[in-house]
Structure formats: structure tokens, C-alpha cells
Amino acid sequence: MKILKIQALRGPNLWSIQRKRLIQMRLDLEEAEQTPTNKIEGFRERIEAMFPSMIEHRCSEGCRGGFFLRVERGTWMGHVIEHIALEIQTLAGMDTGFGRTRETKTPGIYNVVFSYTEENVGLFAAESAVRIAEALMEGTDYDVEADIQKMREIRERVRLGPSTGSIVEEAVSRDIPWIRLGTNSLVQLGYGINQMRFQATITCKTSSIAVDIACDKEQTKRMLDLASIPVASGDICVDEEDLEDTIKKIGYPIVLKPLDGNHGKGASINVTNWEDAVEGLEHAKKYSRRVIVEKYITGFDFRILVINNKLVAAAKRVPAHVVGNGKNTIQELIDETNLDPRRGYGHENVLTEITVDRDTEDLLEKLNFTLETIPQKEEIVYLKSTANLSTGGTSVDVTDMLHPENIFIAERISRVIGLDICGVDIMAENLTQPLKENGGVVLEVNAAPGFRMHLAPSEGLPRNVAAPVVDMLYPPGKESRIPIIAITGTNGKTTTTRLMAHIVKNNKYRVGFTTSDGIYIQNHMLEKGDTTGPLSAEYILKDPTVEFAVLETARGGILRSGLGFNRCDIAIITNICADHLGLNDIDTLDDLARVKSVVVKSVKKDGWAILNAEDAQCIKIANELSCNVAYFAMDEDDPFVKKLSKEGKIVAVYENGFITIKKGDWKIRIEKVLHIPLTLGGKAKFMIQNVLAASLAAYLYGFKTDDISLSLQTFIPSVAQTPGRMNIFEFKKFKVMIDFAHNPAGYTAIEDLLSNMEASKKIGIIAGVGDRRDEDIKECATIAARMFDHIIIRQEKHLRGRTEEEIINLILEGIAESGRTVTYEIIPKEIEAIKHAINTAEEGTFITALSDVVTNAIEIVQEYLDKENEENLI
């Protein structure tokens, strides 16, 4: 078997709107296509022995053990690989259960699709599942456990930490969107101007000066002491002389810890002699030049969590330890403790496995123990000097046991230091008595406290400490999203997007929009190129200045990785025509319609899908939608439009020369087409369709009709407003138009426009695109032959696997099939073709350059026009 391609889908996609995170693997079964599972001797027994837990896979049988039944009766290897990929993720601690396997139109080649929780793990699972399937087919051994462990390691390397993950989960539960910014724990909640950012438990509301104070343990201690908050006595040391002076003042036992340390790194506790003190000083100095030396306070280690100046949780932390039974060694007791199903690798479970390190060895040495020592029955042997969960410690929830005085102290500390999320570490016998009574002290204040001990304590009630964080970032009434209008279709997407953005801008919103020629915020192009995919959409949604997003959404990005947003307010499908067919398993108009429908299926339930009422594919899509649906049409008397009007549906129509919104028998006229420059006085019918779609979207969003009308009148087709879309350059004796038309429907629209244009001679500059079907290339040429008197064929770009000669021959065949006698010439380079057309143009000629690289064409023509204008001035 051969893996042809693996891709990760991250947003609503062709396979599922709800399940956004999917791996899609294109797999060639090769010889395995001829051997379903029931023809491979012993396959059922081998897969059941390797994965007994697959008994829970119900599959299409709908019952426990359903998948094994399918294997026994005979199923294809792609289907088996889908189930293996899901199962090994589950065994690695990432339970996920959606999968689909479908054969493509090429026999033996399948799309294997399955869900994932961590993208990198999902990609690894795809390759691993193929290797495992091959081993099962051949009856050879395979170390599945090694792959599962590798997946755990990948997950720990790339996953969000437990604190970050809990905040994201809480946000998702409230329908707040999120975007991971990079590969660490920096996360954006919400979109555009309504976004909030956080990293671990530091938020965009966290004071940077408060973090600096908390990270400076000496400063923190001084401020707390001045605020009459009990702290441990001690000082800062940089050498042995300082250490000696401090010990003389406070006496033994002592604690040494790095001034700038965290997570207990470099700390030594309960030090009782000079030799150990010197060694502890050197250990701490590995992490910080300056070292805190404090009196060791006996008692328990408590962590109090304060969010937005309110106490939300408290936990007693217990360092990693084992309890002797008089029989087993310390190492055996560690191994037994790690068998606890609550313990796992890294952060995968409630508790972390206990590992042996220098800290462990030092503590054992102080007791004259080794890992081979057998502790007495009930003897507690501590293995870490700090109680961090990340080193195997445990936690007990004590939130409901706090004395009111201690709650007051903790909340006051958060204000003294100035932290919005504050972890207060306390050493005391208990928290049921005021600290001043039981001798407890505040050890330190943490600016980025971990949440895991509160989310999933070893004992006591779990506390949803992520909720108050989200409450703080998004108090009641604060929006997390911005309006999104998504636009797709075969032709007209870019112009409709630009017009829609113009309307939004005129309504005083700061708009961000993506098009096939670049990413824009207001009038500024920030990125140049075809930016109609999910990364470009995310670019807009990540920008903190954007108040409204208008996103052109092309098929390529949807197929490659899904949508760049999980939901939109309004979506438009301009039309669905033959284009890009024969690529990426999209072979028919029905296939193409399924891709385009992803956009309108992502509309929120009370939002609007806007569809072309004169497009059969759009009409079919309407039946699959759960949101509101409105339509636009050129012909008010179309039978389907009449039916919609009778049903009281909202339809935008072109009637009596007006752009009109109809609801039942009611009509709202927006503007006369003659007053809308984009339509060239009504000559450009395809532009009227774009205007209808954009006007309807604006109306449904809630913009006033007067404002829509003004926007339509002020949107001028030009290089600045609509580059490559009907850009007409008027020379003294002739005209040149540049347009991006590149498929039969686009060519037909240009043909209709030119039929309304007066010219003594119409010259067309055309090319073919190599990855289009033969019939599409020929049909474009046939249409060109109908609308032009002379054709210049150029072909230097977008060969895409074909030769220049092959494409030109197809164009010539298409010209011949038109039945018209048309003159033509071949000038391969576009620049030379345009220059030749301009240099030889006669008076009254109308030159149309149908260019796939509009920027180059525009620059050439503009250069000639500027030169002519300069000559006229002389």
C-alpha cells in the first residue's frame, strides 16, 4: 500500500461541518485492493488479538463487536486502517471516534478520514495505521506499544497544558471561538476587535508590573511584610558569607530556593547543617544568581487560587511519596504507585508518574536510604522536596475549609501585588485557623499558577477554576465574535466580496476582507496574492483592529484544510459552474456543489444563506440547510422565483431597471442599475448578479437601504476597487479591457458584455489553463471565437503538467468548433501579446485581455496609457 497524501482538516469541511478536526489520507491499496479481509487467512484473529478493545467499535453494524463482524465477512483495507488509526489514538489517551472511508473514482485509491485531538498525533496515527495493517496482512510482529508511546510523547510536546486547555474548554462550552497563536500556550479567544489573549494563566488583563513583582520574590516578600501579611523570616544570599550571616540571624532549619525560580526547581528544604546549606546554595545558583534563604516552617503546603480578586479554590499539596509495607523496596513501591490509573505520562491524567531524579536521591541519602531500601510498614518516604503535581505530587481540595480571615488575606494579597490570576503559597498546620494564630506564613505569590491541582484533585471536590477566568475576560454582555460574511461560488466571488466590504466600510465598520488578489484591512493591502483559504481568513480574525470580516472562500482551501472559521453570520453562493473539475476528486458539478455547500452549512442557525435562484445546484443545496435562506435572481418572472414570493421568502431581483428586495408582494427598491457604476449602465449582466447578492446580504444584516444605495453608487469598477475585473482603459482611439475570466461561464459573461459594446473590431487575448479538462479549454476557445474578430493566443504560464503545444492545440480545436471564421495568431508571452495588440490597434478597436495574472497585464496597459497622456500634454 502507498500513502499518496496526508492532510489535516482544521475547520468545517467536506466530510463534516461539526467535526472540524479530521485527518484525510489518500491511500493507494495497490495489490491489497484484490484481497479483502475475509480472503486473508487468520486476519480476524490477528487483529482481535492485537486490539481486543476494538470490540467496542460498533461500525455500520450498530452493535458491540460490529467492526469484527465486518472484518469476518470481508471489508477493504482502507476501512480497517481507519479503525486502527482511531483505536491507537484511544489507546494513547486521546479518545476520538469519527471516521469515514470512501473509494475515489480511481479504482483502488481511497480517502481514509478519521478524527484527531492533536494534529501531529493524528498525522503519525495515519502512517502507523498503514504499517500495522501491512503487518497484520503479512502475519508479522509489530510493536504497537512503541507507536502508542511515541504518540503520547508527541502529544505532550504539542498539546496545550492543563491550565490553558481548561480555559479553552470552558470558552468552547460558551461558544467562544479560539485560535492557537503558534506552537506554545499562547491562545486567542474571540475574533478581531473582541479578542482576548492568554498564555497558560497569564491573560491580556494581567499587569506586567504585577508579574515583575511576583517574579521578584524579595520584592514580593517586602511588600507583603509591609502590608502586615505573615511571611517567613530570611534574606537574599549570593555567596557563602551571606549564607552564614543569614543562618546566624534565623537559625536552622532553613529553606533555600532560587530568587527567580519556579515549579520548585533548585529548591532545598529542611536543611539542618552547614554542609547541606552550602550544597543547597550551589544547587539553587544553577537557576538564579541570587538565592532566597528562609526559616523552614513546619506544616502543610497549601495553594490558594484567587481570580479577579476573588478566592475560587484552595488545595493542600503533598509531595510525591510512597508508604512502606515492610516487604517491598522503595523502587518497587514507586513502580506500584505508578500503576495507579490516575497517573500518566506528563499531563495526560489527573496525576503524573513519579520519576527518580537528583532531588529524590538527595532526600533518600539524608535518610540513609537507597532505592533498594525496604521501608517499615506505614512509614512515609518523601521522594520530592516540593509538592508540585508535575513531579508526582498529589493535591487535596480544602476550598470549603478556609477560615474567613485567610480568605481575606488571600484576596488582599492579589490586590497588593496587582494580579488578576494569583496563586498564593502558604505553609501552615491548617487553613481552618487564621494564619496569625497557627503560625502559618505566605511563602510566595505566583503570577501564572497551575490549575491542575484544582481541576482534578486527588481527593475532594474538583473546582472549575477556568470559569471565573472566562467570566473575567468575557463578562455578561461582552461579545466574543465579530460579524462574518463568507462568499463563495465559481464566478463573481472577488467582486462581490469587494462590494460587500465597501458597503460595510461605508457603515462605519473597520472591515477586514480576503480576495483572490490579497488581504485587506480598510483600504490597506497587507498581503498580496490569492488569499482565499483558511489561513487568510484566520489572518483577518486574528487582527485586533477588525470589527467586521468579509471573506472570499474558494474551493481549494476548503479541500486543503477546511474553513478558517467555525461559523459565519451570512454566506453567499454566487453560482456553481464547471471549473476546476477533474481535480482532487471533484469531477462533476454535484461534487463541486458539495464543496461550496460547506460555506453555507457553516451559517449560524439564525443567520442567512444567500443563494442564486437561477442556479440548479444552489436550489438543491437549499434543501440541506438549517439556517434561514434568501435568494437573488435576474428574472422576477422565473417560475421558481414566483414560487418563493408566494411562500413569503425574501428574494433580491432585477426588475424594471432596479435592484429590488422582494418579500411576498412587498418590494423595496434599493437603486436604479443605471446609477450603479459596477454594472456599466446595465450592460454587464453578471455584475448585476453580484450587486443583487451583496445588496441582499447588506439588507439582511440590517444596513439601511439608503446606505446600501449610496455604497452601490460610489463603488467604481477600477484598478483600485476591482483589479482584474472589467478594468477598462480608454485610449484616444481604442479601448482595452482586462478581466480575470478563466472558465466557460466567465467567458460567456464577457461575451454578453461585449455584445452590448460598440467597436469596429474586437480583439481577444486568451490562454488555456493546464489543469482544466480538455472540454473546458476547448469550450472557452469556442466562446472566444464567437465574441472576437481576431484572437491572440498566448501560453507561458499555468501549464500545470501539460505542454504549451498541447494547450494551444486544444484552443485551436475549440476555435474551429465555433463554426466562425476567425483570424488568430500565437504570441506565447503575455507581455508581448498585449504590446502587439496595442501597437497594432486600429481606431475603434476594443481589446479584451482575459488574463490569469492581472497585475502584470494592468501594469503594461497602464504604462502605455500614461505614455499617451504625457504625449497629449506636450
Side-chain angles (χ1 to χ4, degrees):
M1 293 182 286
K2 185 196 295 181
I3 297 173
L4 302 177
K5 183 169 66 174
I6 303 177
Q7 59 199 97
L9 307 178
R10 305 179 189 95
N13 54 74
L14 197 57
W15 302 95
S16 176
I17 301 299
Q18 287 75 35
R19 296 176 179 88
K20 302 166 183 66
R21 297 151 71 91
L22 299 176
I23 297 296
Q24 180 177 324
M25 174 168 57
R26 190 173 174 83
L27 183 67
D28 186 349
L29 294 189
E30 297 180 319
E31 295 82 6
E33 171 69 359
Q34 309 306 319
T35 50
T37 51
N38 61 335
K39 291 186 179 179
I40 304 171
E41 189 176 344
F43 188 88
R44 155 77 191 261
E45 291 74 20
R46 290 196 292 274
I47 193 170
E48 197 165 356
M50 185 179 280
F51 299 110
S53 50
M54 268 193 183
I55 191 76
E56 301 300 334
H57 290 218
R58 302 169 73 87
C59 203
S60 57
E61 299 295 318
C63 61
R64 191 169 184 265
F67 173 65
F68 287 145
L69 282 175
R70 291 287 307 275
V71 170
E72 191 170 324
R73 293 174 189 161
T75 189
W76 303 107
M77 205 49 60
H79 181 213
V80 172
I81 288 167
E82 168 206 322
H83 279 267
I84 293 173
L86 290 170
E87 184 62 16
I88 58 178
Q89 287 185 90
T90 299
L91 293 173
M94 290 157 279
D95 196 8
T96 181
F98 175 83
R100 292 285 184 272
T101 299
R102 298 288 183 268
E103 187 173 17
T104 68
K105 287 187 168 58
T106 306
I109 295 181
Y110 290 75
N111 280 317
V112 179
V113 178
F114 58 88
S115 53
Y116 65 86
T117 57
E118 293 294 338
E119 182 177 314
N120 288 2
V121 174
L123 294 169
F124 179 88
E127 295 180 343
S128 173
V130 173
R131 292 194 299 268
I132 293 169
E134 288 174 333
L136 287 168
M137 290 171 67
E138 295 162 8
T140 56
D141 292 337
Y142 190 90
D143 190 351
V144 175
E145 192 53 46
D147 278 8
I148 290 171
Q149 179 58 26
K150 177 70 174 175
M151 290 163 70
R152 287 180 179 138
E153 292 169 4
I154 294 171
R155 177 196 56 198
E156 290 307 306
R157 190 171 69 244
V158 301
R159 77 186 298 189
L160 294 172
S163 302
T164 310
S166 69
I167 298 171
V168 167
E169 286 174 15
E170 179 64 25
V172 169
S173 74
R174 302 185 189 195
D175 198 31
I176 297 172
W178 68 284
I179 300 171
R180 188 172 186 174
L181 304 175
T183 57
N184 55 19
S185 292
L186 181 60
V187 170
Q188 172 185 315
L189 298 181
Y191 289 151
I193 199 168
N194 292 325
Q195 68 181 261
M196 291 286 169
R197 295 176 186 165
F198 70 96
Q199 183 162 14
T201 55
I202 291 180
T203 77
C204 53
K205 289 181 173 288
T206 304
S207 160
S208 59
I209 195 169
V211 173
D212 281 347
I213 292 169
C215 289
D216 185 336
K217 293 180 173 61
E218 181 183 18
Q219 177 71 22
T220 300
K221 187 175 174 182
R222 188 182 305 118
M223 290 178 69
L224 296 181
D225 191 29
L226 290 172
S228 304
I229 293 166
V231 293
S233 57
D235 212 336
I236 304 297
C237 299
V238 296
D239 53 29
E240 290 185 22
E241 185 179 342
D242 291 343
L243 179 63
E244 187 176 10
D245 290 344
T246 302
I247 291 173
K248 282 179 182 177
K249 280 191 281 185
I250 65 175
Y252 292 110
I254 61 170
V255 175
L256 300 98
K257 53 189 176 182
L259 181 65
D260 305 319
N262 56 36
H263 300 301
K265 293 175 183 174
S268 300
I269 67 169
N270 198 15
V271 175
T272 58
N273 58 70
W274 176 250
E275 290 75 17
D276 288 347
V278 171
E279 188 178 337
L281 178 67
E282 293 306 312
H283 181 50
K285 287 183 74 174
K286 292 177 184 176
Y287 299 90
S288 174
R289 191 179 67 84
R290 304 170 75 201
V291 177
I292 293 178
V293 179
E294 293 177 335
K295 184 74 174 178
Y296 175 63
I297 308 296
T298 58
F300 294 103
D301 185 346
F302 293 98
R303 162 66 62 82
I304 297 177
L305 181 64
V306 182
I307 297 174
N308 205 19
N309 306 127
K310 295 290 182 185
L311 185 143
V312 297
K316 181 170 78 171
R317 302 188 296 178
V318 183
H321 64 278
V322 292
V323 180
N325 58 13
K327 299 176 184 177
N328 297 102
T329 67
I330 291 174
Q331 182 63 64
E332 287 169 344
L333 291 170
I334 292 173
D335 294 341
E336 187 179 330
T337 301
N338 284 339
L339 292 175
D340 184 338
R342 294 178 302 168
R343 291 191 183 271
Y345 181 82
H347 293 308
E348 72 177 354
N349 284 347
V350 174
L351 301 174
T352 300
E353 292 175 349
I354 300 171
T355 57
V356 175
D357 57 12
R358 177 195 174 279
D359 190 24
T360 309
E361 291 166 351
D362 287 351
L363 288 173
L364 292 178
E365 188 179 332
K366 288 176 182 177
L367 297 170
N368 292 321
F369 284 0
T370 70
L371 291 171
E372 300 308 311
T373 301
I374 299 176
Q376 295 179 14
K377 191 172 184 180
E378 303 302 325
E379 181 180 4
I380 297 174
V381 180
Y382 287 101
L383 302 168
K384 304 291 177 185
S385 57
T386 60
N388 296 80
L389 266 67
S390 57
T391 59
T394 56
S395 66
V396 180
D397 178 73
V398 295
T399 306
D400 296 329
M401 302 179 187
L402 264 69
H403 191 281
E405 178 75 15
N406 294 335
I407 294 174
F408 170 75
I409 288 174
E411 293 180 347
R412 186 161 171 260
I413 287 171
S414 73
R415 291 184 183 274
V416 168
I417 304 301
L419 289 170
D420 58 339
I421 300 178
C422 178
V424 181
D425 289 346
I426 292 174
M427 184 66 74
E429 285 298 323
N430 59 66
L431 293 180
T432 56
Q433 295 175 286
L435 297 184
K436 290 180 180 177
E437 290 184 17
N438 64 18
V441 297
V442 175
L443 299 177
E444 61 185 64
V445 177
N446 293 273
F451 283 0
R452 186 157 66 131
M453 70 186 77
H454 308 296
L455 293 166
S458 314
E459 297 177 36
L461 285 175
R463 306 286 173 169
N464 181 7
V465 294
V469 176
V470 179
D471 288 341
M472 176 179 69
L473 297 176
Y474 288 100
K478 178 174 173 56
E479 283 288 339
S480 64
R481 297 174 181 269
I482 60 172
I484 298 175
I485 296 180
I487 298 162
T488 192
T490 302
N491 294 311
K493 298 186 296 294
T494 300
T495 302
T496 306
T497 298
R498 284 179 166 278
L499 176 57
M500 192 71 243
H502 180 72
I503 296 170
V504 171
K505 201 187 318 174
N506 284 353
N507 279 272
K508 310 304 181 191
Y509 285 93
R510 180 175 290 274
V511 64
F513 59 102
T514 61
T515 70
S516 58
D517 51 76
I519 299 174
Y520 297 80
I521 293 179
Q522 289 295 83
N523 300 318
H524 305 281
M525 178 190 274
L526 302 181
E527 291 288 332
K528 191 175 183 179
D530 188 347
T531 57
T532 55
L535 291 178
S536 303
E538 198 173 88
Y539 183 107
I540 291 295
L541 299 176
K542 288 195 293 191
D543 191 287
T545 68
V546 172
E547 299 171 325
F548 202 120
V550 181
L551 306 173
E552 181 180 347
T553 308
R555 57 180 286 289
I558 299 171
L559 291 172
R560 190 167 55 251
S561 51
L563 297 178
F565 50 90
N566 59 14
R567 196 173 74 212
C568 60
D569 298 80
I570 295 174
I572 298 170
I573 300 182
T574 56
N575 45 64
I576 299 173
C577 311
D579 194 18
H580 298 281
L581 298 182
L583 300 172
N584 300 313
D585 301 320
I586 306 302
D587 300 306
T588 66
L589 272 183
D590 285 343
D591 293 337
L592 187 58
R594 281 197 310 120
V595 178
K596 303 291 187 184
S597 71
V598 171
V599 180
V600 286
K601 287 176 180 175
S602 73
V603 174
K604 64 182 185 180
K605 202 165 186 62
D606 59 346
W608 288 89
I610 296 175
L611 304 175
N612 188 332
E614 295 162 319
D615 188 298
Q617 293 293 341
C618 285
I619 293 169
K620 278 195 269 184
I621 288 171
N623 298 322
E624 304 167 15
L625 302 179
S626 56
C627 63
N628 299 308
V629 181
Y631 297 85
F632 65 93
M634 291 291 288
D635 184 4
E636 183 185 14
D637 295 322
D638 179 274
F640 182 64
V641 173
K642 284 185 172 181
K643 177 176 176 289
L644 292 171
S645 296
K646 281 183 181 177
E647 293 171 356
K649 296 288 174 61
I650 297 176
V651 189
V653 294
Y654 175 46
E655 56 87 29
N656 294 317
F658 282 89
I659 299 295
T660 301
I661 308 290
K662 285 188 67 177
K663 186 173 182 183
D665 294 329
W666 288 86
K667 288 184 179 180
I668 303 169
R669 284 182 169 173
I670 304 293
E671 186 53 68
K672 202 167 190 176
V673 165
L674 287 175
H675 299 159
I676 302 173
L678 187 61
T679 69
L680 296 185
K683 293 175 184 176
K685 297 291 191 296
F686 58 97
M687 285 299 185
I688 297 175
Q689 291 181 315
N690 297 336
V691 171
L692 286 168
S695 300
L696 180 55
Y699 172 79
L700 292 172
Y701 183 75
F703 294 140
K704 294 178 181 177
T705 53
D706 286 350
D707 292 334
I708 299 171
S709 170
L710 180 61
S711 298
L712 297 180
Q713 293 178 64
T714 55
F715 188 74
I716 314 297
S718 62
V719 171
Q721 292 271 43
T722 57
R725 274 73 184 174
M726 236 171 41
N727 300 149
I728 298 176
F729 300 81
E730 298 202 17
F731 288 78
K732 189 176 181 182
K733 295 182 178 180
F734 57 88
K735 294 178 182 178
V736 178
M737 181 174 77
I738 295 172
D739 196 88
F740 189 61
H742 58 281
N743 56 44
Y747 270 53
T748 300
I750 295 296
E751 181 184 21
D752 181 63
L753 172 65
L754 291 180
S755 69
N756 294 312
M757 296 285 190
E758 290 186 10
S760 59
K761 187 177 185 180
K762 294 174 183 176
I763 297 175
I765 303 171
I766 68 170
V769 181
D771 60 2
R772 301 305 197 272
R773 300 176 304 173
D774 290 2
E775 55 264 43
D776 295 331
I777 296 173
K778 288 196 287 185
E779 187 178 352
C780 284
T782 300
I783 299 166
R786 291 202 306 256
M787 62 177 159
F788 299 126
D789 303 309
H790 179 72
I791 295 174
I792 300 173
I793 303 168
R794 55 99 191 159
Q795 195 65 52
E796 60 175 319
K797 298 182 178 72
H798 301 295
L799 301 179
R800 296 175 184 172
R802 294 184 191 255
T803 65
E804 184 180 321
E805 184 182 12
E806 185 182 355
I807 297 174
I808 289 173
N809 285 337
L810 288 169
I811 292 173
L812 294 176
E813 285 180 39
I815 292 173
E817 288 175 9
S818 71
R820 279 191 79 208
T821 302
V822 180
T823 58
Y824 67 86
E825 55 189 313
I826 300 169
I827 303 176
K829 292 185 181 298
E830 181 181 41
I831 293 174
E832 298 304 320
I834 293 174
K835 285 181 176 179
H836 173 72
I838 292 174
N839 290 333
T840 58
E842 301 167 2
E843 188 167 349
T845 299
F846 195 102
I847 301 167
T848 303
L850 300 180
S851 176
D852 45 11
V853 186
V854 293
T855 309
N856 294 350
I858 288 169
E859 287 174 356
I860 298 161
V861 177
Q862 189 66 55
E863 188 180 315
Y864 268 85
L865 186 59
D866 291 345
K867 188 177 179 182
E868 181 180 277
N869 290 334
E870 287 170 9
E871 290 172 354
N872 290 338
L873 290 172
I874 296 171

